[in-house]
Amino acid sequence: MSALSHRDMDEFSLIERYFRRHQPGATDLELGIGDDAAIVRVPADRHLVVSVDTLVAGRHFQRDTAAADIGHKALAVNLSDLAAMGAAPRWWWLALSLPDADAHWLEAFSGGMFALAEQYDMALAGGDLVCGPLVVTMTVAGLVAPDQALCRRGAAAGDAIYVTGTLGAAALALRYQQAPAAPLHRPRPRVEAGRALVGLATACVDISDGLGIDLGQLLTASGVGATLDPAALPLPTTAVDVSGTQLWELAISGGDDYELCFTVPSAREQELPQRLCGIDVQLTRLGYTRRGAGLHWRTRDGACFRPSVAGYRHFG
Amino acid sequence: MSALSHRDMDEFSLIERYFRRHQPGATDLELGIGDDAAIVRVPADRHLVVSVDTLVAGRHFQRDTAAADIGHKALAVNLSDLAAMGAAPRWWWLALSLPDADAHWLEAFSGGMFALAEQYDMALAGGDLVCGPLVVTMTVAGLVAPDQALCRRGAAAGDAIYVTGTLGAAALALRYQQAPAAPLHRPRPRVEAGRALVGLATACVDISDGLGIDLGQLLTASGVGATLDPAALPLPTTAVDVSGTQLWELAISGGDDYELCFTVPSAREQELPQRLCGIDVQLTRLGYTRRGAGLHWRTRDGACFRPSVAGYRHFG
């Protein structure tokens, strides 16, 4: 790492320097960084929603990824989970294992992280900073009204299946080293859309491992199935010479999209535009759920489309 | 790792197999493992206390440490933080990066973790399981009545300083590879003692980096100092040929003790036995806080004792 290394700084000084900031949105943070634990106030009329995600260097991001992008992405993937629950993010905790206390790296990493957090008035409540291989774990907590959270279970047969944004852009950027790399390094969590869907969507999931796996889990949890036309997939525009079928594959199996996939009763589809009014997000209807189990892809001419892999597997 | 490797199992199957259990104490867990995030109910008359700790293989535990001990310790060090706040533990989240999906290892690791959790009726609410270097991050959340948490700040000049248990046993076990190794591998968090001290202790900290660092932080946060006699330190019995001065050094700088160090107004010291009645814990008074700053060690004959290092430094 950089020559400007803070080998002489202990973790207390590093935390003071790079992670303790004035956080105007932290009014419900009773006790923040600097004690044995953090103390937060959860309103009596809210449940707490908590998500934890770990990013490992060389596995979830390339080792030469810019530190600011790592800081952004580690928080974004957690915010995407909260978005899928329809929760309003409030606090986060950072557990950072890093090989060296490099000043430039820490400055950029915390900058990327705080810049995203500030969009949601979130407060960094605490964490841990240790020496080790580069592994970033964030714990994010948010709030939702009791019994209002969007879950994977809840879709009924005949519900419409929607997805936000486009699918496959991150996989394109990763596989073809193609610009723009933003979809890969700077995913944009659909927090506003998720919150707007509370009370309307019957089930919701965020797409991290790939639509095939994640929508598949929603369907299984809900006890329904779906047969969808891959031509309905919202694909990214690309200058790469890649076939339409390859793009379908990336959209279904690529992962790292951090879009939301959700179901809405068909009788209430017309409420969607008003719900999402003012939120900058593209919506695409993939089709409808059906009785039975399984997620299948079939083109308009009746041909089956089978992606070669379902999505990202963490082991094996 | 073992030949009985689950290379063919994905993370969903692994989580189902090793981490999803019937948890009788999980009545306030609205939604647990298996969705995008967990949902918990925090009682209206309680604040939420959250601690995050990361243990890195080869740094916070030896690479050949038994998996059950790693599972125990990773949870125990977090529970120790909650104990220092006087909080009652309720839920935890596990973020586990491990090189291989080894069945024996996962079985033992989860066994060690759940065995400790069951003592406190805690529920595993969620987490993340990824492939990478062996790094264990746990997030533990507990409850405390508003404005009742024990903090590092709060000690007044003249308060008595107490410590639970003995200090230096883990450092002895590590440095001299001496039996018993339990203090190093199986620290016992002082959860009951911490809760019993709510309303009596003016400040509290757990001893993870070493008494010198941790008590030093309590004193600094409280704006007081202390000059203590090292002869008052509660030392472990040992068969190792180590001088009394070396034992003082280990007790002050060794770390990994996970005992509580707390302050009590001198006029209320006599309440301690009743408070801790029925709790199996040894208490030792180290001395009293004073006006001014700094933590100094001075023997009865007036000689200064200066530990060669203050405690565990995470970087440098």
Side-chain angles (χ1 to χ4, degrees):
Chain A
M1 287 200 180
S2 152
L4 218 168
S5 179
H6 284 213
R7 281 193 180 279
D8 53 331
M9 289 183 76
D10 59 28
E11 76 279 17
F12 308 113
S13 317
L14 292 168
I15 289 166
E16 278 299 317
R17 182 147 179 176
Y18 297 107
F19 297 108
R20 201 203 282 266
R21 295 195 178 189
H22 174 63
Q23 303 184 108
T27 51
D28 46 14
L29 183 61
E30 285 278 315
L31 188 66
I33 293 171
D35 216 298
D36 288 295
I39 305 179
V40 302
R41 282 193 306 275
V42 176
D45 62 348
R46 286 293 182 274
H47 283 172
L48 189 78
V49 183
V50 182
S51 164
V52 180
D53 275 298
T54 295
L55 302 189
V56 175
R59 183 114 194 158
H60 301 99
F61 56 88
Q62 293 158 302
R63 290 192 183 274
D64 61 352
T65 302
D69 287 344
I70 300 171
H72 174 100
K73 186 168 180 176
L75 187 57
V77 300
N78 268 297
L79 287 175
S80 181
D81 283 321
L82 256 58
M85 308 293 289
R90 282 303 306 134
W91 313 279
W92 88 101
W93 288 260
L94 165 68
L96 178 59
S97 166
L98 80 169
D100 195 5
D102 179 86
H104 290 146
W105 194 94
L106 280 162
E107 182 80 40
F109 173 86
S110 64
M113 179 178 75
F114 278 111
L116 179 60
E118 276 161 20
Q119 295 180 29
Y120 303 104
D121 241 6
M122 299 173 67
L124 177 62
D128 198 9
L129 179 58
V130 302
C131 187
L134 184 53
V135 177
V136 189
T137 297
M138 292 204 193
T139 303
V140 174
L143 303 172
V144 73
D147 307 316
Q148 293 290 298
L150 308 175
C151 301
R152 295 183 183 182
R153 64 183 183 229
D159 282 359
I161 303 172
Y162 281 86
V163 68
T164 61
T166 61
L167 301 176
L172 259 179
L174 181 64
R175 204 166 304 183
Y176 298 95
Q177 300 289 317
Q178 182 223 22
L184 182 62
H185 298 308
R186 292 265 172 172
R188 183 177 165 183
R190 299 295 187 182
V191 174
E192 297 85 355
R195 294 184 66 186
L197 291 169
V198 168
L200 176 58
T202 49
C204 188
V205 71
D206 86 312
I207 303 170
S208 50
D209 292 335
L211 179 68
I213 283 186
D214 296 314
L215 173 55
Q217 292 202 326
L218 182 153
L219 296 172
T220 301
S222 298
V224 294
T227 303
L228 305 175
D229 183 350
L233 290 165
L235 304 173
T237 53
T238 174
V240 172
D241 184 23
V242 52
S243 74
T245 310
Q246 282 174 307
L247 275 178
W248 290 352
E249 185 101 25
L250 292 174
I252 294 170
S253 314
D256 253 357
D257 296 303
Y258 306 104
E259 298 293 349
L260 298 184
C261 181
F262 59 94
T263 53
V264 174
S266 57
R268 297 184 64 189
E269 286 185 73
Q270 76 277 12
E271 295 178 37
L272 275 170
Q274 202 191 332
R275 285 280 188 149
L276 294 165
C277 176
I279 300 172
D280 178 26
V281 64
Q282 173 188 331
L283 274 194
T284 304
R285 187 176 61 208
L286 297 179
Y288 292 88
T289 60
R290 55 164 169 76
R291 285 194 199 133
L295 171 59
H296 304 291
W297 298 95
R298 186 168 294 162
T299 57
R300 194 178 297 187
D301 59 11
C304 277
F305 175 69
R306 288 196 182 82
S308 55
V309 289
Y312 183 76
R313 286 168 63 95
H314 297 246
F315 289 94
Chain B
M1 286 201 183
S2 151
L4 218 171
S5 179
H6 286 212
R7 282 194 178 279
D8 53 332
M9 289 183 76
D10 60 27
E11 76 279 16
F12 307 114
S13 316
L14 294 168
I15 289 165
E16 278 300 318
R17 182 147 178 176
Y18 297 106
F19 297 108
R20 202 203 282 266
R21 296 194 179 190
H22 173 63
Q23 303 184 109
T27 51
D28 46 14
L29 183 61
E30 285 278 316
L31 188 67
I33 293 171
D35 215 299
D36 287 295
I39 306 179
V40 302
R41 284 194 305 275
V42 176
D45 61 349
R46 286 292 182 272
H47 282 171
L48 190 77
V49 183
V50 182
S51 164
V52 180
D53 275 298
T54 295
L55 302 189
V56 175
R59 184 112 192 158
H60 300 99
F61 56 88
Q62 293 157 301
R63 290 192 182 274
D64 60 354
T65 302
D69 287 344
I70 300 170
H72 173 101
K73 187 168 179 175
L75 187 57
V77 301
N78 268 297
L79 287 175
S80 181
D81 284 320
L82 256 59
M85 308 294 288
R90 283 303 306 133
W91 313 280
W92 88 102
W93 288 261
L94 165 67
L96 177 59
S97 164
L98 79 171
D100 193 7
D102 179 85
H104 292 145
W105 194 94
L106 280 163
E107 182 80 41
F109 174 86
S110 64
M113 180 179 75
F114 278 111
L116 179 61
E118 277 161 20
Q119 295 179 29
Y120 302 104
D121 241 6
M122 298 173 67
L124 177 62
D128 199 9
L129 179 59
V130 301
C131 187
L134 184 52
V135 177
V136 188
T137 297
M138 291 202 193
T139 304
V140 174
L143 304 172
V144 73
D147 307 317
Q148 293 289 297
L150 308 175
C151 300
R152 294 184 182 181
R153 63 181 184 231
D159 282 359
I161 303 171
Y162 281 86
V163 68
T164 62
T166 62
L167 301 175
L172 259 179
L174 181 64
R175 203 164 306 181
Y176 299 96
Q177 300 289 315
Q178 182 224 20
L184 182 61
H185 298 308
R186 292 264 172 173
R188 184 176 164 184
R190 300 295 187 182
V191 174
E192 298 85 354
R195 294 183 66 186
L197 291 169
V198 167
L200 176 58
T202 50
C204 187
V205 72
D206 87 311
I207 303 170
S208 50
D209 292 334
L211 179 69
I213 282 185
D214 296 314
L215 173 54
Q217 292 201 327
L218 182 154
L219 296 172
T220 301
S222 297
V224 294
T227 302
L228 305 175
D229 183 351
L233 290 164
L235 304 174
T237 53
T238 175
V240 171
D241 184 24
V242 51
S243 74
T245 310
Q246 282 174 306
L247 276 178
W248 290 352
E249 185 99 25
L250 292 174
I252 294 170
S253 313
D256 253 356
D257 296 302
Y258 305 104
E259 298 293 348
L260 298 183
C261 181
F262 60 94
T263 53
V264 173
S266 56
R268 296 184 65 189
E269 285 185 72
Q270 76 278 11
E271 296 177 38
L272 276 171
Q274 201 192 332
R275 286 279 188 148
L276 294 165
C277 176
I279 300 173
D280 178 26
V281 64
Q282 172 188 331
L283 274 194
T284 304
R285 187 176 61 210
L286 298 177
Y288 292 88
T289 60
R290 55 164 169 75
R291 285 196 197 129
L295 171 59
H296 303 291
W297 299 94
R298 186 166 294 162
T299 57
R300 193 178 297 186
D301 60 10
C304 278
F305 175 69
R306 289 196 181 84
S308 55
V309 290
Y312 183 76
R313 285 169 64 95
H314 298 245
F315 289 93

